[in-house]
Amino acid sequence: MRDSKPQNSLAPTPGGKAALYVHSTESFGSVDGPGVRFIIFLKGCHMRCRYCHNPDTWRMAGAEDKATPIGELLDQAERYRAYWGDKGGITVSGGEALLQIDGLIALFEEAHRRGINTCLDTAAQPFTRREPSYGKFLRLMESTDTVLLDLKHINTVAHKDLTGHGNENILDCARCLSELGVPVWIRHVLVPGITDDENQLRRLRIFIDTLINVERVEVLPYHTLGVFKWQKLGIPYTLKDTPTPTKEQISRAEEILCGKHENA
């Protein structure tokens, strides 16, 4: 399944050494991929999700920012390797990690050389099958063990209202990952009145059932833990009157999305 061979070479980085613009790291992540993981949050995101709990990662890196060499990042991660067990490793999140795909390729390829399990947490908004981006994406997938894919809304109009972008290329990324056979965990944030409509959830489930590589589907309840960041940044928070979902709403969404599907 995973035999696609991209034709594009990795773009050179300044000074010939790959690096990434890192926002922050977390040493003991337990919900961002298999096992215990070292999580690297990258800077930069084009989407403006109305419920985002990390709006401080949106800003793209500028001239004043210093990139971190990938060797340094992996050395830092490996300090915690004893805690990873058989399934753990590193997860790269954001922001949107695919916006730094050259450095990400270098990071994951070096991680595999070191025997480190790799996981990509992405909303896939930069995804395209146009070159040279597609060749780079294929190369990245060769050294990606698991993808955590955010599917925020199945309806592209509602998706644009929620994030500022449509979802056509995101759904195509899901199809591409299925074609490649890359293991995927689907994530869906449940926001009352926005992403909890049962008809739309059933449409999302039908789409998920067309994919052959989905290992897990997770319903993530909307929360307001990141609202203080919006306030600190002076960004209006448009969901301030939106309640967190009830247990019944969560259970219903899980019943629709997370029940046994065809490839389980």
Side-chain angles (χ1 to χ4, degrees), residues 111-236:
H112 267 200
R113 280 191 285 271
R114 298 188 186 197
I116 298 173
N117 181 280
T118 59
C119 181
L120 170 66
D121 184 1
T122 180
Q125 181 48 45
F127 178 79
T128 176
R129 295 195 191 234
R130 294 190 298 270
E131 297 293 356
S133 295
Y134 187 49
K136 291 181 179 183
F137 182 80
L138 293 178
R139 178 170 172 178
L140 175 64
M141 289 303 103
E142 288 294 319
S143 56
T144 301
D145 294 307
T146 306
V147 173
L148 310 183
L149 180 63
D150 296 332
L151 295 183
K152 301 174 188 295
H153 208 298
I154 193 64
N155 181 285
T156 192
V157 175
H159 192 281
K160 187 171 184 178
D161 179 69
L162 179 63
T163 72
H165 292 266
N167 69 357
E168 292 87 352
N169 67 320
I170 295 170
L171 298 182
D172 192 36
C173 182
R175 297 186 193 98
C176 177
L177 291 169
S178 181
E179 294 163 9
L180 296 172
V182 179
V184 164
W185 294 10
I186 299 291
R187 290 175 153 186
H188 178 74
V189 178
L190 192 69
V191 186
I194 298 179
T195 66
D196 65 337
D197 178 81
E198 288 195 12
N199 290 330
Q200 299 300 321
L201 289 174
R202 294 186 189 283
R203 283 186 60 203
L204 179 57
R205 171 58 184 270
I206 290 171
F207 174 77
I208 292 172
D209 281 345
T210 67
L211 310 174
I212 66 171
N213 59 333
V214 177
E215 293 189 340
R216 181 181 300 190
V217 180
E218 297 179 330
V219 173
L220 307 180
Y222 164 73
H223 62 74
T224 59
L225 298 179
V227 173
F228 76 95
K229 296 182 181 180
W230 291 69
Q231 296 170 340
K232 184 176 180 180
L233 293 168
I235 306 172

Side-chain angles (χ1 to χ4, degrees), residues 9-28:
S9 61
L10 183 63
T13 55
K17 294 184 178 180
L20 289 163
Y21 290 97
V22 176
H23 173 269
S24 58
T25 61
E26 181 180 329
S27 304
F28 295 99

Side-chain angles (χ1 to χ4, degrees), residues 20-22 43-44 56 58-68:
L20 289 163
Y21 290 97
V22 176
K43 294 181 180 180
D56 48 327
W58 288 353
R59 184 181 68 82
M60 302 298 292
E64 71 279 12
D65 294 293
K66 181 180 179 181
T68 304

